[in-house]
Amino acid sequence: MFKKIALATALVATASFATWDKFPVLENHKGQGQVGVAYQMQGDASGLTAYGGARYTVIPNLELGVKLPYTIFTDYDGNDGPDGLNNIPLMVRYQFMPVMNAFVDVDLPVGEEDLVDDGLGLHFGVQYSQPFGIVNLGSELGLQIRTEGDDKFTPAYVLNVGAEGDFAINPMITPYVGADLNVKVTNSDADGFEGDDSGDMGLWIYLGGAFAINPMFTVDASFGFGLGEDYYGEDTPMKIDVHLNINF
């Protein structure tokens, strides 16, 4: 049981229940595919997840997306942990102003129960983006909610505030840096017993770069880590992510 809890902590801490990005939706009838891998580490626990996804603007300003993550392995102090399909996020974004989007993500509880929570997840909010010289700024304000699953556990609602700056150094290389502040705004509940975690905060910081091979293919690599012992636990979570974007 201890091993399962430790593994779950590492995976949850570095998982990204997040929108595709913080910038305007794609142009009408334009799409993007994505394939990648993410390696997560936290203390003695680690895991490797592969994922694929696609997004497409079906009518002007309305973008639909989906991702399919699969955990290849997890490990705790040399012991094998669970693997398998993760929950599947369905994503909708609508650009109601040139600089603002509204979004709703639904996290379908279809993943391996030893890996992910089996409650239905919902993430909704607004985004603001605007170029400032060589910096393209994207930001987001959202609320994350998850219903009670078979384990009779209801996670705390989480308010997230994030921003990312992409630096237009040259047409081929775009370095970026970002941060997401997550704040629990309710207490978690385990089988009718309320916790005392409202107000716990965690800051996720990441930096990386996008390398354009040509107009169709872009390689993106990043490193992120979390700060906040109350939110993430004693050990600092870290994640290395590498993926290929395919424009169509």
Side-chain angles (χ1 to χ4, degrees):
M1 176 60 71
F2 176 74
K3 182 176 72 173
K4 179 179 176 181
I5 292 172
L7 286 166
T9 300
L11 290 168
V12 169
T14 55
S16 179
F17 183 19
T19 45
W20 191 287
D21 63 27
K22 298 179 174 70
F23 299 97
V25 304
L26 299 176
E27 295 178 9
N28 188 31
H29 294 158
K30 297 291 186 179
Q32 185 177 74
Q34 189 177 90
V35 289
V37 292
Y39 181 66
Q40 303 110 314
M41 303 158 282
Q42 186 174 11
D44 293 326
S46 62
L48 180 68
T49 299
Y51 59 90
R55 59 174 174 164
Y56 187 77
T57 301
V58 293
I59 60 174
N61 301 320
L62 179 62
E63 180 185 278
L64 305 180
V66 61
K67 285 191 177 182
L68 185 68
Y70 187 94
T71 295
I72 299 172
F73 75 84
T74 54
D75 176 271
Y76 180 74
D77 198 21
N79 298 303
D80 291 338
D83 55 33
L85 182 68
N86 290 204
N87 290 343
I88 296 177
L90 304 178
M91 297 167 281
V92 180
R93 294 199 302 161
Y94 182 72
Q95 189 171 322
F96 60 92
M97 292 175 59
V99 296
M100 295 199 72
N101 307 324
F103 69 88
V104 177
D105 298 343
V106 179
D107 203 39
L108 300 180
V110 297
E112 173 63 41
E113 63 178 10
D114 289 338
L115 277 173
V116 290
D117 197 294
D118 61 353
L120 180 69
L122 185 67
H123 183 206
F124 58 91
V126 293
Q127 299 175 323
Y128 170 83
S129 58
Q130 180 76 43
F132 295 94
I134 66 168
V135 180
N136 191 16
L137 175 67
S139 61
E140 178 177 290
L141 172 65
L143 182 66
Q144 302 174 24
I145 297 172
R146 189 172 294 278
T147 63
E148 178 183 291
D150 292 339
D151 57 3
K152 305 299 182 183
F153 176 72
T154 304
Y157 292 1
V158 177
L159 179 72
N160 70 281
V161 181
E164 177 181 313
D166 292 9
F167 300 87
I169 302 299
N170 64 55
M172 292 187 62
I173 302 175
T174 304
Y176 59 85
V177 61
D180 292 283
L181 177 65
N182 301 296
V183 183
K184 295 182 180 181
V185 294
T186 66
N187 290 322
S188 57
D189 186 282
D191 199 16
F193 294 92
E194 190 174 84
D196 187 25
D197 49 350
S198 177
D200 289 356
M201 294 186 294
L203 180 65
W204 185 261
I205 300 171
Y206 61 94
L207 67 161
F211 308 89
I213 301 172
N214 55 43
M216 186 175 182
F217 297 104
T218 301
V219 176
D220 190 301
S222 64
F223 171 75
F225 61 96
L227 301 175
E229 186 173 320
D230 289 340
Y231 191 88
Y232 291 112
E234 292 184 1
D235 296 311
T236 300
M238 294 176 283
K239 181 170 72 171
I240 299 170
D241 182 282
V242 179
H243 62 263
L244 175 69
N245 290 328
I246 308 164
N247 299 316
F248 58 88

